[in-house]
């Protein structure tokens, strides 16, 4: 009977798959087969930064389905191709009204400056900049343009940088919730909101330190691009907020006008017959190209770091996750490929599982052992676990505002038993084996023996982290401990401390890889970022058994998909881990 029910459930899943999955696959296949319309002979590109941006392209085809988004990587790579395209006459950038992630803004600013250096104008248009998040980063991107326009009547509110944290201690005290956490060390403040009712001195010091560094950096670049002294620009901006007309009088922007006015001005400059084309449309039209010359691999990794494989652990989870199996395998593939001379690994991560981070770092070592340099390019984040996987790279390149370091660990739990007891809910636990077997139960805090064992584990993870950084950065463990202790640094600060080799973006990292591999001239940049296919992601999303897998395979065979049989042989699902591990995770800053 049980086998019959299992079979029927599989058949039912197969029918659902046929009715839902096959149309989905047809849509995906049709979208991939559709050829973009040919480009006009003269185009003005338009880049809209108001939509949500990831650092890298969506890796999970289901989680990204139906959503329009830009990625920093796609923007900068497309603009680089446009530099040498004679059809492209200029660029219009639509700015968001609030803050951008600082590292993303730094990378896009560099791309705009390279585009302008090729002799093509850039107009940045704003419908207002409002004091939310790191709005100075958005202003910095606008200041990098040839002309900075603002809509009449809009406001320019770029007066500083502020963050707001929530502290739960008094709430927990009132309702009997007991936070039981270990931190290594005093600057590892990700759980301070559970443990305190205000900033600790260390938390306040670290927070203000990276905020001042980001603020100073963004103002410095904006001032250089506007041709004024940083102190003058700072005084003017902090004297706001201003209406657009006043911002123009103060020289903070160049022109007032509607978006249509800016578009017409750029089209007039481009010449008769020029047409506006969205950057994403242009990217599809020109496609991608490896270039020519020796091969340098590009491997991208974005999001929290966890064990498992993309699309097979939880295909409907956010696409921005770093799955250690996938990234490690990509690195091992590079180590074994004789045609690849070097690797650039793009990292944009606040951290995650220590064991997953170590799996990736072991693969980095394998690439280096094969005689191939590994250069890490950091986006907005390269912190905690994100720094762990970079720590033994041949070189690390970070943006001046990248948040990195956070060399530390935390872990623990919230004991909810006392709070629930007040509402008549009692938590009881039974267990066999050693005392630590029930350590992660939420009914009560750690026992003294459990706390001692857990603390020893936190000490061990922290010591391992220190060892890897000391080895990778050629520093003494004592020096690493001095600048570690869980503290977040910006890329500019990390460079001075020896945690980063160079301040810059993706193309600076590529140049460093070429230098380390003794390569000259053009190179072929081969993207080896692991991606889940629509077929794999859909299969796992429906949780199919053998019968429904066969149904999908048959449907795929009808559609001519050669991957159908191979999926039958390679299906695997791994659960996310980490409940009992230390989390090497950095706090997330405001954007």
């Amino acid at each position: 009977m049980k086998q019959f029910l299992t079979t029927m459930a599989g058949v039912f899943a197969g029918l659902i798959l046929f009715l839902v999955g096959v149309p989905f696959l047809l849509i995906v296949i049709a979208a991939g087969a559709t050829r973009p319309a040919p480009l006009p002979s003269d185009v003005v590109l338009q880049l809209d930064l108001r939509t949500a941006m990831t650092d890298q392209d969506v890796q999970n085809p289901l989680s990204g389905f139906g959503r329009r988004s830009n990625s920093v990587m796609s923007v900068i790579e497309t603009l680089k191709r446009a530099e040498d395209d004679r059809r492209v006459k200029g660029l219009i950038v639509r700015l968001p009204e609030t803050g951008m992630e600082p590292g993303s803004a730094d990378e896009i600013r560099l791309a705009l400056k390279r585009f302008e250096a090729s002799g093509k104008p850039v107009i940045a248009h704003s419908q207002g900049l409002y004091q939310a998040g790191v709005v100075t980063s958005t202003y910095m991107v606008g200041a990098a343009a040839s002309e900075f326009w603002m809509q009449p009547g809009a406001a320019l509110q770029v007066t500083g940088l502020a963050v707001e944290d929530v502290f739960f201690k008094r709430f927990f005290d009132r309702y009997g919730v007991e936070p039981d956490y270990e931190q290594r060390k005093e600057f590892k403040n990700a759980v301070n909101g559970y443990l305190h009712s205000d900033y600790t001195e260390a938390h306040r010091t670290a927070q203000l330190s990276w905020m001042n560094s980001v603020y100073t950096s963004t103002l410095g670049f904006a001032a250089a691009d506007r041709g004024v002294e940083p102190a003058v620009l700072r005084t003017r901006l902090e004297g706001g907020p201003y209406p657009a007309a006043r911002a123009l009088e103060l020289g903070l922007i160049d022109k007032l006008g509607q978006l249509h006015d800016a578009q017409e001005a750029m089209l007039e400059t481009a010449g008769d017959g020029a047409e506006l084309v969205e950057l994403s449309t242009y990217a599809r039209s020109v496609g991608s190209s490896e270039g020519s010359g020796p091969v340098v691999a590009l491997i991208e990794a974005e999001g929290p770091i966890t064990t498992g494989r993309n699309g097979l652990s939880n295909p409907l989870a956010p696409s921005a996750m770093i799955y250690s199996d996938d990234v490690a395998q990509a690195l091992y593939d590079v180590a074994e490929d004789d045609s690849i001379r070097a690797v650039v690994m793009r990292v944009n991560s606040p951290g995650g599982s220590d064991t997953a981070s170590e799996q990736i770092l072991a693969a980095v070592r394998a690439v280096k052992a094969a005689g191939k340099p590994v250069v890490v390019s950091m986006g907005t984040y390269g912190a905690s676990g994100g720094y762990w996987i970079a720590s033994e790279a041949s070189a690390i390149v970070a943006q001046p505002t990248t948040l990195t370091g956070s060399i530390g660990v935390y872990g623990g739990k919230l004991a909810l038993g006392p709070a629930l007891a007040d509402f008549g809910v009692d938590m009881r636990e039974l267990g066999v084996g050693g005392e630590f077997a029930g350590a992660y139960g939420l009914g009560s805090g750690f026992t003294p023996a459990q706390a001692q064992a857990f603390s020893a584990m936190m000490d061990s993870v922290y010591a391992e982290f220190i060892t890897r950084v000391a080895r990778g950065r050629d520093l003494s463990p004592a020096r690493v401990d001095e600048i570690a202790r869980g503290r977040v640094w910006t890329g500019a600060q990390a460079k001075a401390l020896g945690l980063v080799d160079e301040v810059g973006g993706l193309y600076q990292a590529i140049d460093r890889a070429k230098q380390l591999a003794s390569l000259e001239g053009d190179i072929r940049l081969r993207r080896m970022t692991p991606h889940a296919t629509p077929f794999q992601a859909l299969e796992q999303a429906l949780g199919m058994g053998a019968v429904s897998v066969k149904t999908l395979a048959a449907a795929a065979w009808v559609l001519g998909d050669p991957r159908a049989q191979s999926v039958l042989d390679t299906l695997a699902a791994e659960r996310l881990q980490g409940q009992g591990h230390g989390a090497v995770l950095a706090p997330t800053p405001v954007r």
Side-chain angles (χ1 to χ4, degrees):
M1 182 67 177
K2 180 177 180 181
Q3 184 176 3
F4 172 76
L5 291 176
T6 302
T7 301
M8 291 305 296
V11 171
F12 177 75
L15 290 173
I16 294 296
L17 173 67
F18 188 81
L19 295 173
V20 177
V22 171
F24 172 81
L25 286 174
L26 286 171
I27 292 171
V28 172
I29 293 171
T34 301
R35 293 184 178 180
L39 290 171
S41 57
D42 296 311
V43 301
V44 169
L45 299 179
Q46 185 162 271
L47 168 61
D48 194 342
L49 297 178
R50 299 173 303 162
T51 55
M53 292 191 75
T54 55
D55 184 70
Q56 299 155 26
D57 288 341
V58 172
Q59 295 180 18
N60 188 322
L62 290 186
S63 63
F65 184 69
R67 295 203 308 259
R68 289 187 62 214
S69 66
N70 293 323
S71 76
V72 174
M73 292 288 281
S74 65
V75 167
I76 64 173
E77 289 178 88
T78 303
L79 287 177
K80 187 168 181 61
R81 294 202 66 186
E83 292 172 17
D84 299 323
D85 190 335
R86 294 182 178 180
R87 295 170 298 180
V88 177
K89 305 301 182 181
L91 172 69
I92 292 177
V93 180
R94 301 195 64 182
L95 298 174
E97 296 175 26
T98 54
M100 296 177 64
E101 290 189 343
S104 298
D106 280 339
E107 195 78 66
I108 290 173
R109 174 187 172 272
L110 288 175
L112 297 185
K113 301 302 289 184
R114 286 191 298 267
F115 186 86
E116 288 180 284
S118 69
K120 301 177 181 182
V122 178
I123 290 179
H125 187 273
S126 170
Q127 292 180 277
L129 292 177
Y130 299 96
Q131 191 62 52
V134 192
V135 73
T136 50
S137 293
T138 308
Y139 180 81
M140 178 190 70
V141 172
S146 313
E147 293 182 356
F148 192 165
W149 290 52
M150 182 167 279
Q151 181 172 305
L156 189 144
Q157 301 177 4
V158 186
T159 59
L161 169 59
V163 300
E164 190 171 45
D165 294 293
V166 179
F167 295 89
F168 290 93
K169 185 178 186 304
R170 292 196 305 116
F171 174 85
F172 286 169
D173 289 346
R174 174 176 297 181
Y175 292 101
V177 177
E178 298 177 4
D180 203 345
Y181 286 92
E182 294 272 351
Q183 299 163 285
R184 299 294 182 278
K185 293 187 178 180
E186 70 271 20
F187 293 106
K188 197 69 177 178
N189 50 50
V191 291
N192 275 13
Y194 295 163
L195 304 175
H196 306 282
S197 57
D198 198 351
Y199 296 104
T200 64
E201 189 58 36
H203 191 173
R204 185 186 305 276
T205 297
Q207 196 95 319
L208 288 174
S209 176
W210 74 253
M211 288 171 64
N212 272 308
S213 182
V214 168
Y215 188 51
T216 300
S217 176
T218 53
L219 284 179
F221 285 123
D225 292 338
R226 296 294 300 171
V228 299
E229 289 296 320
V232 173
L233 180 64
R234 180 169 186 162
T235 298
R236 289 176 182 174
L237 288 174
E238 292 179 359
Y242 305 111
R246 180 57 178 158
L248 178 63
E249 292 175 359
L250 292 172
L252 298 173
I253 60 174
D254 296 304
K255 291 186 179 181
L256 298 180
Q258 298 291 340
L259 173 65
H260 180 74
D261 300 327
Q263 291 171 333
E264 289 298 310
M266 181 63 82
L267 288 171
E268 183 177 348
T269 300
D272 292 340
E275 299 180 25
L276 287 171
V277 174
E278 291 293 331
L279 190 74
S280 57
T281 302
Y282 174 79
R284 290 192 297 271
S285 297
V286 298
S288 60
S289 173
E290 284 191 357
S292 61
V295 178
V296 173
L298 173 62
I299 297 175
E300 296 159 297
E302 178 171 18
I305 304 169
T306 186
T307 57
R309 295 174 58 194
N310 185 21
L312 297 181
S313 296
N314 181 5
L316 296 180
S319 62
M321 293 284 288
I322 299 174
Y323 293 92
S324 58
D325 284 6
D326 291 337
V327 176
Q329 187 58 56
L331 287 163
Y332 285 123
D333 290 344
V334 167
E336 296 172 3
D337 191 331
D338 292 336
S339 69
I340 297 175
R341 303 285 299 278
V343 183
V344 172
M345 185 164 68
R346 174 72 171 196
V347 174
N348 188 53
S349 174
S353 161
D354 61 312
T355 53
S357 300
E358 179 62 17
Q359 181 184 358
I360 295 171
L361 181 58
V364 170
R365 296 188 193 111
V367 177
K368 292 175 63 182
K372 304 174 184 183
V374 179
V375 177
V376 169
S377 166
M378 291 181 173
T380 293
Y381 313 100
S384 210
Y387 191 80
W388 187 306
I389 67 178
S391 59
E392 296 184 34
S394 309
I396 301 174
V397 179
Q399 292 288 3
T401 61
T402 294
L403 296 186
T404 188
S406 194
I407 301 166
V409 61
Y410 73 88
K413 64 179 181 178
L414 290 175
L416 302 177
L420 294 176
D422 288 341
F423 295 92
V425 178
D426 297 312
M427 300 184 72
R428 303 287 185 260
E429 183 178 80
L430 294 174
V432 296
E435 185 173 345
F436 201 78
Y440 298 112
L442 301 182
S444 62
F446 294 123
T447 66
Q450 290 170 345
Q452 182 178 2
F454 188 78
S455 180
M457 185 174 69
M458 293 293 99
D459 287 337
S460 176
V461 174
Y462 182 70
E464 292 293 329
F465 204 164
I466 293 293
T467 298
R468 279 145 185 77
V469 176
R471 181 169 57 217
R473 301 306 303 169
D474 194 24
L475 298 169
S476 70
R479 174 56 179 161
V480 175
D481 180 59
E482 182 183 346
I483 60 180
R485 313 186 73 82
R487 183 163 178 173
V488 173
W489 305 98
T490 63
Q493 293 171 324
K495 170 69 166 59
L497 294 169
L499 296 176
V500 163
D501 295 289
E502 185 176 341
V503 172
L506 174 68
Y507 291 104
Q508 283 76 16
I510 292 172
D511 288 341
R512 176 60 73 99
K514 289 173 58 180
Q515 175 188 354
L516 292 174
S518 300
L519 303 177
E520 296 182 358
D522 294 335
I523 54 108
R524 282 183 289 165
L525 192 63
R526 181 180 299 171
R527 182 173 263 101
M528 299 186 69
T529 302
H531 291 273
T533 66
F535 186 86
Q536 291 173 315
L538 185 64
E539 174 270 321
Q540 185 64 16
L542 294 178
M544 294 177 289
V547 173
S548 52
V549 168
K550 290 178 181 179
T551 304
L552 176 57
W557 179 80
V558 171
L559 294 173
D561 190 335
R563 298 168 296 184
Q565 186 58 48
S566 65
V567 171
L568 288 174
D569 299 330
T570 59
L571 286 176
E574 298 182 352
R575 300 179 61 186
L576 294 177
Q577 300 177 15
Q579 289 295 324
H581 294 282
V584 280
L585 189 70
T588 302
V590 66
R591 71 178 292 271

